[in-house]
Amino acid sequence: MTLELFEPERRGNILPRDGIVEDYGLILNQAQSDQYLRYFLHHLAWQRDEVVLHGQHYITGRKVVWYGDEHYQYRYSGSLKQAQAWNSGLFRLKQHIEGLIGHPFNSCLANLYEHGQQAVGWHSDDEPSLVSKAGHETVIASLSFGATRKMRFKHKVQPEHIDVLLQSGQLIVMRGQTQKYWKHCISKTAKVLDPRINLTFRYFFPG
Ligand SMILES: O=C(O)CCC(=O)C(=O)O
Ligand SMILES: [Fe+2]
């Protein structure tokens, strides 16, 4: 048996103000997380993402795929995204997380970082399709598998940073005003050579 030196335990809000990021700690054991990592590496329809920045088209190193209750579509960063029908393992996890959090999700954006040089830059998940017209908070549940990576939060106005290391099997939930006041990123690191998968369960409002 391998002993983890540090096993994240459930913590309340890790942000000091203007939003809520709840750290649920490890919600799966190591064997389950390993199994899901191998399964998702091989059974999700990974594709490099296309983004348009200042009129230039870029293909990302990171691979993504989007699943949902229906074949939702939206235009984001200049390209059209289309949701795939749920993968069965992903759907099981979605139900598990809905039970833990007590919030429904109808879609999941999955990210694959093959090594530490693949990352995602500063952004907020504040596209109109994620924001309720009825004024409900945006709730995003993020579950990680594989290599431990650092997620950073940066306040949009105050000079404040919060870092959190995300381990395999660890769940965090971004809610409240988080997307309005904070940006987040996954930073690059030369130290990580192994893959990481992150699943972000979201509630999508079709336009
Ligand atoms: O990989 C992660 O943990 C974050 C991914 C992310 O921010 C996103 O998909 O919007
Ligand atoms: Fe994000």
Side-chain angles (χ1 to χ4, degrees):
M1 187 178 115
T2 23
L3 280 176
E4 284 280 356
L5 288 178
F6 166 70
E7 283 206 356
E9 302 210 342
R10 190 175 171 163
R11 291 184 288 166
N13 189 8
I14 64 171
L15 295 182
R17 74 192 86 249
D18 295 341
I20 302 168
V21 177
E22 293 166 328
D23 182 358
Y24 279 71
L26 300 184
I27 63 155
L28 300 168
N29 65 35
Q30 199 179 323
Q32 292 170 319
S33 301
D34 288 351
Q35 223 171 356
Y36 273 119
L37 175 70
R38 277 196 302 275
Y39 173 79
F40 290 138
L41 276 172
H42 294 109
H43 292 96
L44 299 190
W46 299 110
Q47 285 196 325
R48 293 199 191 281
D49 203 10
E50 189 188 352
V51 291
V52 183
L53 261 183
H54 310 300
Q56 296 269 10
H57 285 252
Y58 294 95
I59 302 296
T60 60
R62 168 179 64 98
K63 291 182 180 154
V64 298
V65 57
W66 185 35
Y67 290 89
D69 284 2
E70 290 173 44
H71 292 290
Y72 305 127
Q73 283 193 337
Y74 75 115
R75 195 161 275 288
Y76 175 66
S77 275
S79 60
L80 191 67
K81 316 281 181 193
Q82 167 126 34
Q84 316 264 323
W86 286 108
N87 161 291
S88 60
L90 204 54
F91 192 76
R92 258 203 321 274
L93 264 182
K94 174 185 104 86
Q95 291 178 312
H96 180 54
I97 289 171
E98 286 175 335
L100 273 178
I101 298 174
H103 187 277
F105 297 103
N106 62 5
S107 68
C108 177
L109 178 70
N111 288 287
L112 166 60
Y113 308 85
E114 281 154 327
H115 47 69
Q117 297 297 343
Q118 296 183 354
V120 65
W122 289 111
H123 69 278
S124 301
D125 293 306
D126 58 358
E127 298 108 65
S129 55
L130 295 175
V131 179
S132 148
K133 313 243 176 338
H136 299 297
E137 61 173 342
T138 301
V139 181
I140 298 178
S142 155
L143 179 59
S144 297
F145 297 97
T148 299
R149 296 286 298 266
K150 187 196 287 177
M151 184 175 194
R152 316 197 74 190
F153 288 87
K154 174 168 86 171
H155 196 282
K156 293 185 188 177
V157 183
Q158 309 289 333
E160 262 177 315
H161 273 93
I162 301 291
D163 292 347
V164 54
L165 283 175
L166 297 178
Q167 296 188 24
S168 196
Q170 188 169 353
L171 176 74
I172 62 166
V173 178
M174 300 187 275
R175 62 194 312 163
Q177 303 274 67
T178 304
Q179 307 304 329
K180 183 170 176 205
Y181 288 105
W182 296 80
K183 288 180 183 251
H184 56 272
C185 75
I186 298 292
S187 49
K188 285 191 182 177
T189 166
K191 290 192 205 127
V192 173
L193 305 175
D194 296 321
R196 167 178 182 265
I197 286 175
N198 175 259
L199 307 175
T200 52
F201 294 92
R202 299 153 184 250
Y203 197 90
F204 180 80
F205 298 94

